[in-house]
Each structure stands twice: as structure tokens, then as C-alpha cells.
């Protein structure tokens, strides 16, 4: 089950990234173009935040069932000096949690904003900040912290 969840988590990574990029695109387009915040924009906002929450929930399940993280928690002083263990045992989960919190605040604040421009501005800025944190925390194949393939193929 662990490897299946890892595969789903890896797939959802792309859904989160693409969803945020699309939401940011719509946000910039609406903000700069002074458009009305339509039902479609609201759905994009909501679905993007929901996908991020699903990914975080999958990540938490993986975190608490991961043999690497179990070793990290059991051997903290040894593991903290090894980048792979430090990354997955602490850095990845903390940064991803912060990123999803930022996306959630952006979604919630945009929903409650009174003006169309306020909705687009808040959604764009906070979703972009969340995406930046996510880009830092993803174990890209080229990452100096920890690297994994673009798509898992177990």
C-alpha cells in the first residue's frame, strides 16, 4: 500500500502544480484585465485548493508510514546531518504544510473579498507564494537537497 500511495502522491504533485499555475494565470488575467470574478474563476480557486488539500493528506499518510521518516524520527541526531533524511523527515513536510496553509488562506481570503480585483489579487499573490514554496519543497530530479524522478514508475 505504501508504494501505491507514493505513486498517487507523485501523480498528484503534477495536479497541484498545474492547478496552481492555471489559477495564477486566471488570477493575473482577471487582475490586469479588470475582469469580473466569474463562477468559473471561483471553481478554479476552490478546486485548486481542494487538490492541494488532498495532496497534503496523502503526504501526511505517507509521512507517518514511511520507513525513511521512521528511521529519521528514531535516529534524529544521525539523520539530521544527512540531506535525504533531513529533507523528507523535516523540511519537505514543514514546507508543504506551510504552502498548503498559504494556498488555503489565499482561497479563503479571495472567496471573502468584496471586489473582483481584490479576489483576483489575493488569489494570484497567495497562490503564487504557495507555488514558490512548493517548488522549493518538491524533490525535483535536479534538486541539491533530495531528488526523485519526475514520475514514479515502481
Amino acid at each position: 500500500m505504501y508504494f501505491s500511495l507514493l505513486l498517487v502522491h507523485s501523480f498528484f504533485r503534477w495536479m497541484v502544480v498545474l492547478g496552481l499555475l492555471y489559477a495564477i494565470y486566471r488570477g493575473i488575467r482577471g487582475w490586469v484585465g479588470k475582469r469580473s470574478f466569474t463562477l468559473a474563476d471561483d471553481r478554479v480557486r476552490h478546486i485548486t485548493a481542494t487538490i492541494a488539500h488532498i495532496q497534503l493528506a496523502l503526504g501526511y499518510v505517507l509521512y507517518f508510514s514511511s520507513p525513511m521518516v521512521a528511521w529519521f524520527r528514531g535516529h534524529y541526531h544521525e539523520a539530521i546531518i544527512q540531506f535525504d533524511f533531513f529533507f523528507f523527515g523535516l523540511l519537505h513536510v514543514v514546507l508543504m504544510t506551510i504552502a498548503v496553509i498559504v494556498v488555503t488562506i489565499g482561497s479563503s481570503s479571495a472567496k471573502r473579498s468584496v471586489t473582483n480585483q481584490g479576489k483576483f489579487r489575493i488569489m494570484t499573490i497567495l497562490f503564487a507564494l504557495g507555488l514558490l514554496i512548493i517548488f522549493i519543497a518538491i524533490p525535483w530530479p535536479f534538486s541539491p537537497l533530495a531528488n526523485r524522478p519526475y514520475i514514479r514508475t515502481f
Side-chain angles (χ1 to χ4, degrees), residues 20 52-53 56 60 90-106 126-137:
L20 283 169
H53 287 124
L56 186 64
Y60 282 155
L90 188 62
L91 190 63
H92 182 70
V93 70
V94 168
L95 286 177
M96 289 301 188
T97 301
I98 290 169
V100 174
I101 289 170
V102 169
V103 168
T104 302
I105 291 170
L126 290 180
F127 279 22
L129 179 59
L131 183 62
L132 176 65
I133 297 168
I134 287 170
F135 275 152
I136 292 168

Side-chain angles (χ1 to χ4, degrees), residues 99-141:
V100 174
I101 289 170
V102 169
V103 168
T104 302
I105 291 170
S107 176
S108 178
S109 297
K111 179 180 178 180
R112 287 167 178 67
S113 182
V114 178
T115 66
N116 289 323
Q117 295 308 299
K119 291 175 189 273
F120 283 123
R121 185 182 70 246
I122 291 167
M123 184 174 82
T124 302
I125 292 170
L126 290 180
F127 279 22
L129 179 59
L131 183 62
L132 176 65
I133 297 168
I134 287 170
F135 275 152
I136 292 168
I138 287 178
W140 299 105

Side-chain angles (χ1 to χ4, degrees), residues 31-88:
W31 186 12
V32 172
K34 301 196 184 325
R35 297 174 185 242
S36 294
F37 197 83
T38 65
L39 182 59
D41 296 315
D42 193 51
R43 283 188 180 145
V44 167
R45 174 203 57 80
H46 178 72
I47 290 169
T48 300
T50 301
I51 291 169
H53 287 124
I54 291 168
Q55 176 71 336
L56 186 64
L58 288 169
Y60 282 155
V61 171
L62 280 171
Y63 182 81
F64 290 107
S65 62
S66 167
M68 180 183 281
V69 174
W71 192 87
F72 174 83
R73 289 192 316 256
H75 303 87
Y76 178 78
H77 294 294
E78 295 170 49
I80 198 77
I81 60 174
Q82 297 177 29
F83 270 145
D84 257 12
F85 288 104
F86 171 72
F87 181 81
F88 287 108

